[in-house]
Amino acid sequence: AGLIWYAPFFVYPLLAFPVAIGLLLFRVESKLGRHKQTMAQYFRALVTVFARNKRSLAAAFGSTFIAVFIWFGNLFFLADTLATRFQIHGFHRGLLLSLPILTVAITAIITGKYLQNINLTHLTTLGLLIIGAPLLISLILPDSFLIYGMVALVGVGFGLTLPSLNTLIIGCVEQEERGVIAAFYGSVRAMGSALGPLTFGWIMSYGDLVTLISAGSLGVIGSLLAFVFIKQSD
């Protein structure tokens, strides 16, 4: 981007075209038969799934939205803060913005390996708490924590939360219902990623203090929501 502002956009086709060719060559599509649904059938199936495990499932979707909302909003907040408050631009800013992504990836890989032996409700609760607490703690710690510690810890929390919620939500339904629940789950995640930066941008107009308190409190509320209402047995 330092060379030409639109150069990064060429990364997408360079990555996407080889993957598309690979999908065609190796035929990774499932051999299971497809069952096409009308929109009415889809929503009826969704209502049926929610009726069975409504409390735990609603809490799991709510926790997903909160985690994704804070995650993308926090990245927007971090990018803006690095540029305006700390005057960090270009490659250095990109490097710092990659830190939370790296912690998410590493944490998610480790978490995924041990999911079968962990209580997923407790893991979700812990993850959301780790997302929210650093945002609140950063109010009383030096600026260096805001740049390095907070973003890394939020990444760790997100890396703990999302794999466990993936397993809880997709695993709560039978094979033939997973397409329905996965579609709705994807919509919830997309809504969180769309509204996060938008809402953070609005809250940031009231200052860093309000932004960090609001986001941190939401993370803590999400952890309580998960702990009280998500039952792994459901």
Side-chain angles (χ1 to χ4, degrees), residues 69-81 84-85 131-139 146 150 154 195-220:
F69 175 86
I70 294 176
W71 170 249
F72 281 95
N74 184 58
L75 288 178
F76 177 82
F77 168 74
L78 175 63
D80 183 79
T81 301
T84 58
R85 181 171 168 184
I131 288 173
L135 293 164
L136 295 173
I137 294 171
S138 64
L139 294 169
L146 182 66
M150 184 199 78
V154 171
L195 293 179
L198 179 68
T199 308
F200 267 67
W202 170 65
I203 297 174
M204 283 163 57
S205 63
Y206 295 95
D208 291 353
L209 182 66
V210 175
T211 303
L212 292 169
I213 290 176
S214 301
S217 300
L218 183 62
V220 173

mmCIF file of all heavy atoms in Angstrom, residues 69-81 84-85 131-139 146 150 154 195-220:
data_model
loop_
_atom_site.group_PDB
_atom_site.id
_atom_site.type_symbol
_atom_site.label_atom_id
_atom_site.label_comp_id
_atom_site.label_asym_id
_atom_site.label_seq_id
_atom_site.Cartn_x
_atom_site.Cartn_y
_atom_site.Cartn_z
ATOM 1 N N PHE A 69 -18.712 -9.035 17.408
ATOM 2 C CA PHE A 69 -18.954 -7.598 17.452
ATOM 3 C C PHE A 69 -17.773 -6.868 18.101
ATOM 4 O O PHE A 69 -17.237 -5.903 17.559
ATOM 5 C CB PHE A 69 -20.244 -7.340 18.238
ATOM 6 C CG PHE A 69 -20.564 -5.890 18.463
ATOM 7 C CD1 PHE A 69 -21.266 -5.165 17.512
ATOM 8 C CD2 PHE A 69 -20.192 -5.258 19.646
ATOM 9 C CE1 PHE A 69 -21.575 -3.825 17.726
ATOM 10 C CE2 PHE A 69 -20.492 -3.924 19.866
ATOM 11 C CZ PHE A 69 -21.190 -3.204 18.907
ATOM 12 N N ILE A 70 -17.337 -7.355 19.263
ATOM 13 C CA ILE A 70 -16.210 -6.722 19.956
ATOM 14 C C ILE A 70 -14.925 -6.909 19.163
ATOM 15 O O ILE A 70 -14.104 -5.992 19.064
ATOM 16 C CB ILE A 70 -16.053 -7.293 21.382
ATOM 17 C CG1 ILE A 70 -17.264 -6.925 22.244
ATOM 18 C CG2 ILE A 70 -14.773 -6.776 22.044
ATOM 19 C CD1 ILE A 70 -17.227 -7.526 23.633
ATOM 20 N N TRP A 71 -14.751 -8.074 18.582
ATOM 21 C CA TRP A 71 -13.516 -8.367 17.861
ATOM 22 C C TRP A 71 -13.293 -7.400 16.704
ATOM 23 O O TRP A 71 -12.252 -6.750 16.605
ATOM 24 C CB TRP A 71 -13.551 -9.813 17.362
ATOM 25 C CG TRP A 71 -12.455 -10.165 16.409
ATOM 26 C CD1 TRP A 71 -12.564 -10.435 15.083
ATOM 27 C CD2 TRP A 71 -11.062 -10.269 16.717
ATOM 28 N NE1 TRP A 71 -11.333 -10.705 14.548
ATOM 29 C CE2 TRP A 71 -10.394 -10.618 15.524
ATOM 30 C CE3 TRP A 71 -10.316 -10.121 17.884
ATOM 31 C CZ2 TRP A 71 -9.022 -10.805 15.465
ATOM 32 C CZ3 TRP A 71 -8.943 -10.302 17.826
ATOM 33 C CH2 TRP A 71 -8.312 -10.639 16.625
ATOM 34 N N PHE A 72 -14.282 -7.279 15.829
ATOM 35 C CA PHE A 72 -14.122 -6.405 14.668
ATOM 36 C C PHE A 72 -14.167 -4.929 15.067
ATOM 37 O O PHE A 72 -13.465 -4.101 14.477
ATOM 38 C CB PHE A 72 -15.187 -6.722 13.622
ATOM 39 C CG PHE A 72 -14.864 -7.940 12.808
ATOM 40 C CD1 PHE A 72 -15.378 -9.174 13.155
ATOM 41 C CD2 PHE A 72 -14.026 -7.857 11.713
ATOM 42 C CE1 PHE A 72 -15.065 -10.310 12.420
ATOM 43 C CE2 PHE A 72 -13.703 -8.976 10.960
ATOM 44 C CZ PHE A 72 -14.225 -10.207 11.321
ATOM 45 N N GLY A 73 -14.989 -4.612 16.053
ATOM 46 C CA GLY A 73 -15.002 -3.242 16.544
ATOM 47 C C GLY A 73 -13.683 -2.853 17.173
ATOM 48 O O GLY A 73 -13.195 -1.727 16.986
ATOM 49 N N ASN A 74 -13.079 -3.791 17.896
ATOM 50 C CA ASN A 74 -11.791 -3.521 18.549
ATOM 51 C C ASN A 74 -10.677 -3.329 17.520
ATOM 52 O O ASN A 74 -9.794 -2.477 17.702
ATOM 53 C CB ASN A 74 -11.444 -4.674 19.495
ATOM 54 C CG ASN A 74 -10.173 -4.425 20.267
ATOM 55 O OD1 ASN A 74 -10.048 -3.445 20.980
ATOM 56 N ND2 ASN A 74 -9.206 -5.329 20.129
ATOM 57 N N LEU A 75 -10.701 -4.100 16.438
ATOM 58 C CA LEU A 75 -9.707 -3.916 15.383
ATOM 59 C C LEU A 75 -9.841 -2.524 14.753
ATOM 60 O O LEU A 75 -8.835 -1.866 14.456
ATOM 61 C CB LEU A 75 -9.865 -4.993 14.305
ATOM 62 C CG LEU A 75 -9.430 -6.410 14.676
ATOM 63 C CD1 LEU A 75 -9.699 -7.366 13.514
ATOM 64 C CD2 LEU A 75 -7.963 -6.458 15.065
ATOM 65 N N PHE A 76 -11.082 -2.091 14.563
ATOM 66 C CA PHE A 76 -11.314 -0.746 14.026
ATOM 67 C C PHE A 76 -10.801 0.313 15.004
ATOM 68 O O PHE A 76 -10.122 1.273 14.608
ATOM 69 C CB PHE A 76 -12.806 -0.558 13.768
ATOM 70 C CG PHE A 76 -13.172 0.814 13.281
ATOM 71 C CD1 PHE A 76 -13.033 1.149 11.945
ATOM 72 C CD2 PHE A 76 -13.673 1.764 14.156
ATOM 73 C CE1 PHE A 76 -13.373 2.413 11.486
ATOM 74 C CE2 PHE A 76 -14.006 3.029 13.715
ATOM 75 C CZ PHE A 76 -13.862 3.355 12.378
ATOM 76 N N PHE A 77 -11.107 0.128 16.279
ATOM 77 C CA PHE A 77 -10.648 1.047 17.320
ATOM 78 C C PHE A 77 -9.127 1.088 17.382
ATOM 79 O O PHE A 77 -8.522 2.161 17.470
ATOM 80 C CB PHE A 77 -11.225 0.610 18.673
ATOM 81 C CG PHE A 77 -10.611 1.297 19.860
ATOM 82 C CD1 PHE A 77 -10.915 2.624 20.146
ATOM 83 C CD2 PHE A 77 -9.738 0.617 20.688
ATOM 84 C CE1 PHE A 77 -10.349 3.268 21.245
ATOM 85 C CE2 PHE A 77 -9.171 1.243 21.786
ATOM 86 C CZ PHE A 77 -9.477 2.577 22.065
ATOM 87 N N LEU A 78 -8.513 -0.083 17.303
ATOM 88 C CA LEU A 78 -7.054 -0.159 17.366
ATOM 89 C C LEU A 78 -6.413 0.547 16.177
ATOM 90 O O LEU A 78 -5.453 1.321 16.347
ATOM 91 C CB LEU A 78 -6.612 -1.625 17.411
ATOM 92 C CG LEU A 78 -5.103 -1.883 17.371
ATOM 93 C CD1 LEU A 78 -4.422 -1.279 18.600
ATOM 94 C CD2 LEU A 78 -4.818 -3.374 17.270
ATOM 95 N N ALA A 79 -6.928 0.299 14.971
ATOM 96 C CA ALA A 79 -6.366 0.923 13.780
ATOM 97 C C ALA A 79 -6.442 2.445 13.862
ATOM 98 O O ALA A 79 -5.477 3.150 13.532
ATOM 99 C CB ALA A 79 -7.107 0.424 12.533
ATOM 100 N N ASP A 80 -7.573 2.941 14.322
ATOM 101 C CA ASP A 80 -7.742 4.384 14.439
ATOM 102 C C ASP A 80 -6.850 4.958 15.539
ATOM 103 O O ASP A 80 -6.241 6.021 15.359
ATOM 104 C CB ASP A 80 -9.208 4.706 14.734
ATOM 105 C CG ASP A 80 -9.479 6.197 14.797
ATOM 106 O OD1 ASP A 80 -9.584 6.804 13.720
ATOM 107 O OD2 ASP A 80 -9.563 6.745 15.919
ATOM 108 N N THR A 81 -6.762 4.267 16.669
ATOM 109 C CA THR A 81 -5.965 4.748 17.797
ATOM 110 C C THR A 81 -4.483 4.795 17.449
ATOM 111 O O THR A 81 -3.774 5.743 17.815
ATOM 112 C CB THR A 81 -6.188 3.850 19.032
ATOM 113 O OG1 THR A 81 -7.577 3.859 19.380
ATOM 114 C CG2 THR A 81 -5.380 4.338 20.230
ATOM 115 N N THR A 84 -4.127 7.972 15.074
ATOM 116 C CA THR A 84 -4.425 9.311 15.589
ATOM 117 C C THR A 84 -3.740 9.620 16.913
ATOM 118 O O THR A 84 -3.261 10.735 17.127
ATOM 119 C CB THR A 84 -5.945 9.485 15.760
ATOM 120 O OG1 THR A 84 -6.439 8.464 16.646
ATOM 121 C CG2 THR A 84 -6.647 9.362 14.418
ATOM 122 N N ARG A 85 -3.694 8.636 17.798
ATOM 123 C CA ARG A 85 -3.153 8.890 19.148
ATOM 124 C C ARG A 85 -1.657 8.649 19.228
ATOM 125 O O ARG A 85 -0.933 9.387 19.905
ATOM 126 C CB ARG A 85 -3.892 8.006 20.155
ATOM 127 C CG ARG A 85 -3.451 8.187 21.600
ATOM 128 C CD ARG A 85 -4.400 7.432 22.501
ATOM 129 N NE ARG A 85 -3.909 7.311 23.854
ATOM 130 C CZ ARG A 85 -4.525 6.626 24.806
ATOM 131 N NH1 ARG A 85 -5.680 6.024 24.555
ATOM 132 N NH2 ARG A 85 -4.020 6.551 26.025
ATOM 133 N N ILE A 131 -11.886 -11.519 26.638
ATOM 134 C CA ILE A 131 -12.147 -10.462 25.661
ATOM 135 C C ILE A 131 -12.484 -9.149 26.369
ATOM 136 O O ILE A 131 -11.978 -8.080 26.017
ATOM 137 C CB ILE A 131 -13.304 -10.858 24.718
ATOM 138 C CG1 ILE A 131 -12.848 -11.957 23.744
ATOM 139 C CG2 ILE A 131 -13.808 -9.651 23.924
ATOM 140 C CD1 ILE A 131 -13.963 -12.525 22.889
ATOM 141 N N GLY A 132 -13.345 -9.223 27.384
ATOM 142 C CA GLY A 132 -13.823 -8.019 28.040
ATOM 143 C C GLY A 132 -12.875 -7.418 29.055
ATOM 144 O O GLY A 132 -12.696 -6.194 29.110
ATOM 145 N N ALA A 133 -12.243 -8.269 29.871
ATOM 146 C CA ALA A 133 -11.420 -7.768 30.979
ATOM 147 C C ALA A 133 -10.244 -6.893 30.537
ATOM 148 O O ALA A 133 -10.016 -5.828 31.122
ATOM 149 C CB ALA A 133 -10.932 -8.941 31.817
ATOM 150 N N PRO A 134 -9.459 -7.286 29.504
ATOM 151 C CA PRO A 134 -8.332 -6.429 29.097
ATOM 152 C C PRO A 134 -8.765 -5.037 28.647
ATOM 153 O O PRO A 134 -8.026 -4.070 28.834
ATOM 154 C CB PRO A 134 -7.702 -7.198 27.934
ATOM 155 C CG PRO A 134 -8.120 -8.595 28.127
ATOM 156 C CD PRO A 134 -9.488 -8.528 28.727
ATOM 157 N N LEU A 135 -9.955 -4.939 28.059
ATOM 158 C CA LEU A 135 -10.449 -3.631 27.626
ATOM 159 C C LEU A 135 -10.675 -2.716 28.821
ATOM 160 O O LEU A 135 -10.396 -1.515 28.770
ATOM 161 C CB LEU A 135 -11.744 -3.798 26.832
ATOM 162 C CG LEU A 135 -11.615 -4.513 25.486
ATOM 163 C CD1 LEU A 135 -12.980 -4.974 24.986
ATOM 164 C CD2 LEU A 135 -10.967 -3.606 24.457
ATOM 165 N N LEU A 136 -11.170 -3.291 29.917
ATOM 166 C CA LEU A 136 -11.380 -2.512 31.134
ATOM 167 C C LEU A 136 -10.060 -2.223 31.847
ATOM 168 O O LEU A 136 -9.828 -1.108 32.317
ATOM 169 C CB LEU A 136 -12.337 -3.260 32.071
ATOM 170 C CG LEU A 136 -13.770 -3.459 31.557
ATOM 171 C CD1 LEU A 136 -14.554 -4.349 32.503
ATOM 172 C CD2 LEU A 136 -14.480 -2.123 31.392
ATOM 173 N N ILE A 137 -9.194 -3.233 31.894
ATOM 174 C CA ILE A 137 -7.908 -3.080 32.592
ATOM 175 C C ILE A 137 -7.025 -2.044 31.904
ATOM 176 O O ILE A 137 -6.247 -1.343 32.557
ATOM 177 C CB ILE A 137 -7.195 -4.442 32.686
ATOM 178 C CG1 ILE A 137 -7.985 -5.398 33.584
ATOM 179 C CG2 ILE A 137 -5.766 -4.288 33.213
ATOM 180 C CD1 ILE A 137 -7.472 -6.819 33.570
ATOM 181 N N SER A 138 -7.145 -1.938 30.580
ATOM 182 C CA SER A 138 -6.297 -1.007 29.832
ATOM 183 C C SER A 138 -6.528 0.444 30.246
ATOM 184 O O SER A 138 -5.708 1.321 29.965
ATOM 185 C CB SER A 138 -6.547 -1.158 28.324
ATOM 186 O OG SER A 138 -7.878 -0.798 28.004
ATOM 187 N N LEU A 139 -7.638 0.720 30.938
ATOM 188 C CA LEU A 139 -7.927 2.078 31.399
ATOM 189 C C LEU A 139 -6.949 2.544 32.474
ATOM 190 O O LEU A 139 -6.704 3.744 32.623
ATOM 191 C CB LEU A 139 -9.357 2.151 31.944
ATOM 192 C CG LEU A 139 -10.488 1.949 30.926
ATOM 193 C CD1 LEU A 139 -11.812 1.767 31.640
ATOM 194 C CD2 LEU A 139 -10.553 3.124 29.956
ATOM 195 N N LEU A 146 -2.127 -0.953 26.068
ATOM 196 C CA LEU A 146 -3.211 -0.741 25.118
ATOM 197 C C LEU A 146 -2.813 -1.192 23.722
ATOM 198 O O LEU A 146 -3.610 -1.768 22.980
ATOM 199 C CB LEU A 146 -3.589 0.749 25.099
ATOM 200 C CG LEU A 146 -4.747 1.161 24.190
ATOM 201 C CD1 LEU A 146 -6.052 0.553 24.682
ATOM 202 C CD2 LEU A 146 -4.865 2.677 24.126
ATOM 203 N N MET A 150 -3.383 -5.544 25.406
ATOM 204 C CA MET A 150 -4.826 -5.635 25.247
ATOM 205 C C MET A 150 -5.206 -6.366 23.964
ATOM 206 O O MET A 150 -6.029 -7.278 23.979
ATOM 207 C CB MET A 150 -5.442 -4.238 25.240
ATOM 208 C CG MET A 150 -6.965 -4.256 25.176
ATOM 209 S SD MET A 150 -7.676 -2.691 24.618
ATOM 210 C CE MET A 150 -7.396 -2.775 22.848
ATOM 211 N N VAL A 154 -7.227 -9.898 23.821
ATOM 212 C CA VAL A 154 -8.533 -9.984 23.153
ATOM 213 C C VAL A 154 -8.498 -11.072 22.074
ATOM 214 O O VAL A 154 -9.455 -11.818 21.892
ATOM 215 C CB VAL A 154 -8.938 -8.620 22.555
ATOM 216 C CG1 VAL A 154 -10.175 -8.759 21.672
ATOM 217 C CG2 VAL A 154 -9.214 -7.614 23.666
ATOM 218 N N LEU A 195 -21.701 -4.728 12.211
ATOM 219 C CA LEU A 195 -22.121 -3.706 13.173
ATOM 220 C C LEU A 195 -20.998 -3.282 14.114
ATOM 221 O O LEU A 195 -21.054 -2.179 14.668
ATOM 222 C CB LEU A 195 -23.307 -4.220 13.995
ATOM 223 C CG LEU A 195 -24.615 -4.431 13.227
ATOM 224 C CD1 LEU A 195 -25.700 -4.965 14.154
ATOM 225 C CD2 LEU A 195 -25.077 -3.128 12.589
ATOM 226 N N GLY A 196 -19.992 -4.150 14.313
ATOM 227 C CA GLY A 196 -18.905 -3.829 15.239
ATOM 228 C C GLY A 196 -18.186 -2.528 14.902
ATOM 229 O O GLY A 196 -18.197 -1.581 15.700
ATOM 230 N N PRO A 197 -17.561 -2.429 13.714
ATOM 231 C CA PRO A 197 -16.865 -1.185 13.360
ATOM 232 C C PRO A 197 -17.795 0.016 13.310
ATOM 233 O O PRO A 197 -17.418 1.123 13.706
ATOM 234 C CB PRO A 197 -16.280 -1.494 11.974
ATOM 235 C CG PRO A 197 -16.196 -2.978 11.917
ATOM 236 C CD PRO A 197 -17.365 -3.481 12.710
ATOM 237 N N LEU A 198 -19.011 -0.190 12.813
ATOM 238 C CA LEU A 198 -19.976 0.906 12.711
ATOM 239 C C LEU A 198 -20.296 1.478 14.095
ATOM 240 O O LEU A 198 -20.255 2.698 14.315
ATOM 241 C CB LEU A 198 -21.250 0.387 12.041
ATOM 242 C CG LEU A 198 -22.401 1.381 11.868
ATOM 243 C CD1 LEU A 198 -22.035 2.442 10.856
ATOM 244 C CD2 LEU A 198 -23.667 0.645 11.437
ATOM 245 N N THR A 199 -20.594 0.581 15.045
ATOM 246 C CA THR A 199 -20.958 1.023 16.393
ATOM 247 C C THR A 199 -19.757 1.599 17.134
ATOM 248 O O THR A 199 -19.884 2.621 17.821
ATOM 249 C CB THR A 199 -21.549 -0.159 17.186
ATOM 250 O OG1 THR A 199 -22.597 -0.767 16.427
ATOM 251 C CG2 THR A 199 -22.105 0.310 18.526
ATOM 252 N N PHE A 200 -18.614 0.945 17.006
ATOM 253 C CA PHE A 200 -17.412 1.464 17.654
ATOM 254 C C PHE A 200 -17.076 2.853 17.124
ATOM 255 O O PHE A 200 -16.651 3.724 17.879
ATOM 256 C CB PHE A 200 -16.239 0.516 17.431
ATOM 257 C CG PHE A 200 -16.060 -0.496 18.519
ATOM 258 C CD1 PHE A 200 -17.005 -1.496 18.723
ATOM 259 C CD2 PHE A 200 -14.940 -0.481 19.335
ATOM 260 C CE1 PHE A 200 -16.846 -2.447 19.711
ATOM 261 C CE2 PHE A 200 -14.771 -1.420 20.330
ATOM 262 C CZ PHE A 200 -15.723 -2.410 20.525
ATOM 263 N N GLY A 201 -17.253 3.047 15.808
ATOM 264 C CA GLY A 201 -16.989 4.358 15.229
ATOM 265 C C GLY A 201 -17.855 5.438 15.848
ATOM 266 O O GLY A 201 -17.395 6.571 16.074
ATOM 267 N N TRP A 202 -19.107 5.091 16.134
ATOM 268 C CA TRP A 202 -20.012 6.048 16.772
ATOM 269 C C TRP A 202 -19.613 6.289 18.227
ATOM 270 O O TRP A 202 -19.546 7.440 18.683
ATOM 271 C CB TRP A 202 -21.439 5.521 16.686
ATOM 272 C CG TRP A 202 -22.420 6.316 17.508
ATOM 273 C CD1 TRP A 202 -22.786 7.606 17.327
ATOM 274 C CD2 TRP A 202 -23.121 5.846 18.666
ATOM 275 N NE1 TRP A 202 -23.696 7.988 18.287
ATOM 276 C CE2 TRP A 202 -23.916 6.923 19.128
ATOM 277 C CE3 TRP A 202 -23.165 4.630 19.342
ATOM 278 C CZ2 TRP A 202 -24.742 6.818 20.236
ATOM 279 C CZ3 TRP A 202 -23.990 4.520 20.456
ATOM 280 C CH2 TRP A 202 -24.763 5.603 20.895
ATOM 281 N N ILE A 203 -19.330 5.197 18.971
ATOM 282 C CA ILE A 203 -18.976 5.338 20.390
ATOM 283 C C ILE A 203 -17.656 6.083 20.553
ATOM 284 O O ILE A 203 -17.471 6.858 21.507
ATOM 285 C CB ILE A 203 -18.899 3.944 21.060
ATOM 286 C CG1 ILE A 203 -20.267 3.255 21.037
ATOM 287 C CG2 ILE A 203 -18.423 4.073 22.515
ATOM 288 C CD1 ILE A 203 -20.249 1.838 21.553
ATOM 289 N N MET A 204 -16.729 5.887 19.619
ATOM 290 C CA MET A 204 -15.414 6.540 19.712
ATOM 291 C C MET A 204 -15.508 8.056 19.669
ATOM 292 O O MET A 204 -14.597 8.754 20.112
ATOM 293 C CB MET A 204 -14.504 6.023 18.596
ATOM 294 C CG MET A 204 -13.946 4.632 18.872
ATOM 295 S SD MET A 204 -13.273 3.815 17.387
ATOM 296 C CE MET A 204 -12.058 4.996 16.838
ATOM 297 N N SER A 205 -16.606 8.579 19.149
ATOM 298 C CA SER A 205 -16.779 10.034 19.134
ATOM 299 C C SER A 205 -16.940 10.599 20.539
ATOM 300 O O SER A 205 -16.792 11.807 20.751
ATOM 301 C CB SER A 205 -17.997 10.411 18.281
ATOM 302 O OG SER A 205 -19.193 9.885 18.834
ATOM 303 N N TYR A 206 -17.227 9.706 21.512
ATOM 304 C CA TYR A 206 -17.355 10.130 22.908
ATOM 305 C C TYR A 206 -16.067 9.918 23.696
ATOM 306 O O TYR A 206 -16.025 10.165 24.905
ATOM 307 C CB TYR A 206 -18.497 9.360 23.582
ATOM 308 C CG TYR A 206 -19.852 9.671 22.996
ATOM 309 C CD1 TYR A 206 -20.399 8.861 22.006
ATOM 310 C CD2 TYR A 206 -20.583 10.786 23.413
ATOM 311 C CE1 TYR A 206 -21.643 9.147 21.452
ATOM 312 C CE2 TYR A 206 -21.825 11.070 22.860
ATOM 313 C CZ TYR A 206 -22.346 10.250 21.883
ATOM 314 O OH TYR A 206 -23.563 10.537 21.342
ATOM 315 N N GLY A 207 -15.022 9.417 23.041
ATOM 316 C CA GLY A 207 -13.723 9.289 23.689
ATOM 317 C C GLY A 207 -13.338 7.850 23.986
ATOM 318 O O GLY A 207 -14.181 6.944 23.997
ATOM 319 N N ASP A 208 -12.041 7.633 24.233
ATOM 320 C CA ASP A 208 -11.516 6.296 24.504
ATOM 321 C C ASP A 208 -12.111 5.698 25.769
ATOM 322 O O ASP A 208 -12.338 4.484 25.849
ATOM 323 C CB ASP A 208 -9.993 6.343 24.637
ATOM 324 C CG ASP A 208 -9.317 6.642 23.316
ATOM 325 O OD1 ASP A 208 -10.019 6.680 22.279
ATOM 326 O OD2 ASP A 208 -8.083 6.831 23.304
ATOM 327 N N LEU A 209 -12.327 6.533 26.781
ATOM 328 C CA LEU A 209 -12.834 6.039 28.065
ATOM 329 C C LEU A 209 -14.185 5.358 27.887
ATOM 330 O O LEU A 209 -14.386 4.220 28.344
ATOM 331 C CB LEU A 209 -12.948 7.199 29.057
ATOM 332 C CG LEU A 209 -13.435 6.834 30.475
ATOM 333 C CD1 LEU A 209 -12.410 5.963 31.181
ATOM 334 C CD2 LEU A 209 -13.706 8.097 31.294
ATOM 335 N N VAL A 210 -15.091 6.033 27.199
ATOM 336 C CA VAL A 210 -16.429 5.472 26.978
ATOM 337 C C VAL A 210 -16.350 4.224 26.103
ATOM 338 O O VAL A 210 -17.043 3.229 26.354
ATOM 339 C CB VAL A 210 -17.345 6.524 26.324
ATOM 340 C CG1 VAL A 210 -18.702 5.923 25.980
ATOM 341 C CG2 VAL A 210 -17.525 7.720 27.246
ATOM 342 N N THR A 211 -15.483 4.256 25.107
ATOM 343 C CA THR A 211 -15.351 3.118 24.187
ATOM 344 C C THR A 211 -14.872 1.872 24.923
ATOM 345 O O THR A 211 -15.455 0.786 24.786
ATOM 346 C CB THR A 211 -14.363 3.456 23.056
ATOM 347 O OG1 THR A 211 -14.806 4.626 22.378
ATOM 348 C CG2 THR A 211 -14.264 2.306 22.070
ATOM 349 N N LEU A 212 -13.815 2.015 25.713
ATOM 350 C CA LEU A 212 -13.231 0.862 26.411
ATOM 351 C C LEU A 212 -14.168 0.331 27.489
ATOM 352 O O LEU A 212 -14.295 -0.886 27.667
ATOM 353 C CB LEU A 212 -11.880 1.252 27.020
ATOM 354 C CG LEU A 212 -10.769 1.534 26.000
ATOM 355 C CD1 LEU A 212 -9.561 2.165 26.671
ATOM 356 C CD2 LEU A 212 -10.362 0.255 25.274
ATOM 357 N N ILE A 213 -14.832 1.223 28.213
ATOM 358 C CA ILE A 213 -15.773 0.779 29.247
ATOM 359 C C ILE A 213 -16.956 0.051 28.612
ATOM 360 O O ILE A 213 -17.381 -1.015 29.090
ATOM 361 C CB ILE A 213 -16.257 1.976 30.092
ATOM 362 C CG1 ILE A 213 -15.121 2.506 30.975
ATOM 363 C CG2 ILE A 213 -17.444 1.575 30.957
ATOM 364 C CD1 ILE A 213 -15.486 3.748 31.762
ATOM 365 N N SER A 214 -17.482 0.592 27.518
ATOM 366 C CA SER A 214 -18.642 -0.021 26.852
ATOM 367 C C SER A 214 -18.296 -1.408 26.321
ATOM 368 O O SER A 214 -19.027 -2.381 26.554
ATOM 369 C CB SER A 214 -19.121 0.869 25.703
ATOM 370 O OG SER A 214 -19.490 2.145 26.170
ATOM 371 N N ALA A 215 -17.164 -1.501 25.590
ATOM 372 C CA ALA A 215 -16.779 -2.783 24.993
ATOM 373 C C ALA A 215 -16.398 -3.800 26.059
ATOM 374 O O ALA A 215 -16.780 -4.973 25.989
ATOM 375 C CB ALA A 215 -15.613 -2.567 24.034
ATOM 376 N N GLY A 216 -15.643 -3.359 27.069
ATOM 377 C CA GLY A 216 -15.237 -4.271 28.139
ATOM 378 C C GLY A 216 -16.423 -4.785 28.926
ATOM 379 O O GLY A 216 -16.503 -5.984 29.248
ATOM 380 N N SER A 217 -17.370 -3.906 29.226
ATOM 381 C CA SER A 217 -18.569 -4.314 29.968
ATOM 382 C C SER A 217 -19.403 -5.308 29.162
ATOM 383 O O SER A 217 -19.947 -6.274 29.711
ATOM 384 C CB SER A 217 -19.415 -3.091 30.315
ATOM 385 O OG SER A 217 -18.686 -2.183 31.115
ATOM 386 N N LEU A 218 -19.494 -5.077 27.856
ATOM 387 C CA LEU A 218 -20.240 -5.996 26.996
ATOM 388 C C LEU A 218 -19.605 -7.381 27.005
ATOM 389 O O LEU A 218 -20.313 -8.401 27.039
ATOM 390 C CB LEU A 218 -20.302 -5.448 25.569
ATOM 391 C CG LEU A 218 -21.117 -6.260 24.562
ATOM 392 C CD1 LEU A 218 -22.572 -6.337 24.989
ATOM 393 C CD2 LEU A 218 -21.004 -5.650 23.166
ATOM 394 N N GLY A 219 -18.269 -7.442 26.978
ATOM 395 C CA GLY A 219 -17.586 -8.729 27.041
ATOM 396 C C GLY A 219 -17.862 -9.466 28.335
ATOM 397 O O GLY A 219 -18.098 -10.682 28.341
ATOM 398 N N VAL A 220 -17.848 -8.742 29.454
ATOM 399 C CA VAL A 220 -18.130 -9.356 30.758
ATOM 400 C C VAL A 220 -19.580 -9.822 30.820
ATOM 401 O O VAL A 220 -19.873 -10.916 31.329
ATOM 402 C CB VAL A 220 -17.828 -8.353 31.897
ATOM 403 C CG1 VAL A 220 -18.275 -8.918 33.240
ATOM 404 C CG2 VAL A 220 -16.345 -8.023 31.936
#
